[in-house]
């Protein structure tokens, strides 16, 4: 017997996962917005980039020079 890809339990589980992901993103945006400009700068984030960062749409930047091991 094959299971339907769109069975009711799978739909409910997928919907719940989407709701949780949305809540996590909204919480992250709220926390970032609570930070002052200096704190955002310390983590390498501009205020205009908060939404992108919370949604995982930004590539990680190398902000610190690597130590010279010579």
């Amino acid at each position: 017997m094959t299971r339907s890809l769109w069975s009711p339990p799978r739909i409910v589980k997928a919907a719940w996962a989407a709701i949780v992901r949305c809540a996590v993103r909204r919480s992250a945006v709220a926390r970032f917005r609570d930070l002052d400009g200096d704190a955002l700068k310390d983590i390498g984030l501009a205020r205009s980039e908060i939404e992108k960062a919370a949604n995982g749409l930004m590539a990680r930047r190398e902000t610190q020079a690597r130590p010279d091991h010579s």
Side-chain angles (χ1 to χ4, degrees), residues 13-61:
K13 186 176 180 179
W16 181 252
I19 290 168
V20 169
R21 283 192 307 272
C22 182
V24 168
R25 283 192 304 269
R26 289 174 57 106
S27 176
V29 168
R31 288 177 183 234
F32 281 135
R33 287 181 194 241
D34 286 342
L35 296 175
D36 63 10
D38 290 333
L40 287 171
K41 186 178 178 182
D42 286 346
I43 61 173
L45 192 63
R47 196 158 295 281
S48 63
E49 298 172 322
I50 290 175
E51 294 281 338
K52 289 180 188 176
N55 288 312
L57 299 175
M58 291 185 59
R60 178 173 252 173
R61 292 187 272 197

